[in-house]
Amino acid sequence: MVFAITLVRARYYFAWCLAELTNIIAGLGFNGLLEDGTEDWSIINNANILGVETCTSMKICMDSWNISTLAWLRRTVYERAYKFNTLAVFTVSAFWHGFYPGYYLAFFTGALFIEANRSIRRFIRPYFQASKISILIYDAITFVGTRCCCAYMVVPMLIYEFKPTVAVYMSQYCWMHILGLAAVIFLPRRPSSRAKAS
């Protein structure tokens, strides 16, 4: 499933790169000069492909995907929401995409995974900061976990319908939802003192 979803992302990369190229050719997208004097044409950048494909957290993945829309959502929804900022952003994004149930399942799953990722990172990451080897192990585990989360989360967006999506999730025993909920509910909000000391 991870490989198939990676191939699906390629069509979005192609469309976004083509749109960026069209804007640059039209003279749009100029973002000024860099410190070394070269031109920066990145103002209409929609995706950081390397960032999406090599990320070790859901937040980095989301920050690298659909960058312009994310900046707009951050300014208009996330920073203005009183509570549940992440859920508000994903709800607006689902509504923006349309009315297929798959969009709402995908975006609510994404909100759950972002919150679970925050909990796991706050609680578990300090245990892996003792040596370079443990940091590499943590990065490898989170890389694989992020790939699985992304693939699992995107399935409803490809299926669109509620019942077939639930059937796919049930065939996998909703294991990612269960792990995400467990991380959000059972992991403490702050790292333990033992984790801070190590």
Side-chain angles (χ1 to χ4, degrees), residues 7-24:
L7 293 178
V8 168
R9 279 195 305 270
R11 68 182 182 189
Y12 291 97
Y13 297 150
F14 176 77
W16 281 332
C17 289
L18 188 61
E20 288 172 30
L21 178 64
T22 304
N23 282 304
I24 290 171

Side-chain angles (χ1 to χ4, degrees), residues 171-186:
S171 73
Q172 298 178 16
Y173 304 104
C174 298
W175 72 279
M176 297 280 294
H177 285 98
I178 293 168
L179 288 177
L181 283 170
V184 170
I185 293 169
F186 297 116

Side-chain angles (χ1 to χ4, degrees), residues 114-131:
I114 290 284
E115 292 301 321
N117 183 303
R118 286 179 182 153
S119 296
I120 291 168
R121 183 175 174 86
R122 277 188 213 121
F123 183 71
I124 295 176
R125 186 173 181 262
Y127 291 105
F128 286 89
Q129 299 304 303
S131 69

